[in-house]
Amino acid sequence: MTTPVLPSIDPKRTALLAMDFQNGIVASVAEPDALVERGGGAIADVRATGGTIGYVRVAFTEDDWAAVPATNKTFSGVAAAKMMHHEDATTQIDERIAPEDGDIVVRKIRFGPGSTTDLHQQLRDRDIDTLILSGISTSGVVLSTLIDAADRDYRIYVLTDGVADHHPEVHRILLDHVFPSRAHLIDTAQLAELLKAA
């Protein structure tokens, strides 16, 4: 079987999204230090070629909690328990991959950023047409963002070694059977090669 040829990357029109790499979530996955290190390397590679870095985190204000309806199975529980306050240390982006001036940073209050932030407007304002997705978890923010971004006609890459999930089998099924029809799957080494060729 021949390996499919990956489309080239134009760094100026590309954004790497580092999603939910926040203290309380990073600490909950297997081998968190290695995951953050790989993510940091990918961020550095994209930055070095002039690409955009976007950070997505999940966190709530008091008003956000109050506005979550009982119909929302997941986030009504988060609101009732007053979890993930936006000022808590657990909701802050891991300092090892902290944002820099000029990066996009959004705070979401659902699984993906598409419905509750201006992320896509900020990406469009920068003429971004290609997304590289990394994040925790594969079955949460990554899946939600991938489907939303595919519907918005982005070219999408998923970093297979830059995503993680609490459920290894769900992670495997998504990478093997769901994501390939919507995105190009690459690892951080392949990303570095694509950027070098740009």
Side-chain angles (χ1 to χ4, degrees):
M1 180 181 284
T2 59
T3 303
V5 176
L6 292 166
S8 60
I9 288 179
D10 177 357
K12 304 295 187 212
R13 301 196 69 191
T14 298
L16 185 151
L17 300 183
M19 302 180 294
D20 293 5
F21 278 97
Q22 54 202 72
N23 297 325
I25 296 176
V26 168
S28 70
V29 298
E31 301 181 358
D33 293 339
L35 179 66
V36 171
E37 184 176 345
R38 289 191 298 270
I43 288 168
D45 288 343
V46 172
R47 274 195 209 289
T49 57
T52 295
I53 307 299
Y55 292 86
V56 175
R57 71 182 185 114
V58 57
F60 296 79
T61 65
E62 291 84 354
D63 288 344
D64 294 330
W65 286 327
V68 177
T71 53
N72 188 309
K73 184 175 181 180
T74 299
F75 291 100
S76 60
V78 171
K82 306 291 191 236
M83 295 170 61
M84 306 187 86
H85 190 271
H86 70 107
E87 293 177 338
D88 287 350
T90 58
T91 66
Q92 306 310 306
I93 296 167
D94 189 302
E95 65 182 12
R96 293 171 289 181
I97 55 167
E100 296 182 4
D101 289 345
D103 291 343
I104 294 171
V105 182
V106 297
R107 181 181 63 83
K108 66 186 173 78
I109 53 174
R110 294 297 186 270
F111 281 109
S115 62
T116 62
T117 78
D118 67 347
L119 174 64
H120 291 294
Q121 185 58 54
Q122 291 195 56
L123 293 169
R124 294 302 189 205
D125 288 348
R126 298 182 188 214
D127 200 27
I128 300 296
D129 68 0
T130 300
L131 298 180
I132 302 162
L133 304 184
S134 64
I136 310 165
S137 65
T138 315
S139 62
V141 67
V142 179
L143 174 62
S144 182
T145 305
L146 171 58
I147 291 174
D148 179 58
D151 284 350
R152 294 173 189 261
D153 301 325
Y154 288 95
R155 178 183 296 111
I156 307 164
Y157 295 84
V158 173
L159 287 180
T160 57
D161 58 347
V163 296
D165 199 274
H166 302 99
H167 303 286
E169 183 62 8
V170 172
H171 174 83
R172 184 192 66 76
I173 289 169
L174 287 170
L175 289 179
D176 290 351
H177 301 291
V178 179
F179 289 2
S181 66
R182 297 167 174 87
H184 305 285
L185 273 60
I186 60 174
D187 61 20
T188 50
Q190 288 172 297
L191 172 62
E193 289 303 315
L194 285 169
L195 290 169
K196 283 180 187 173

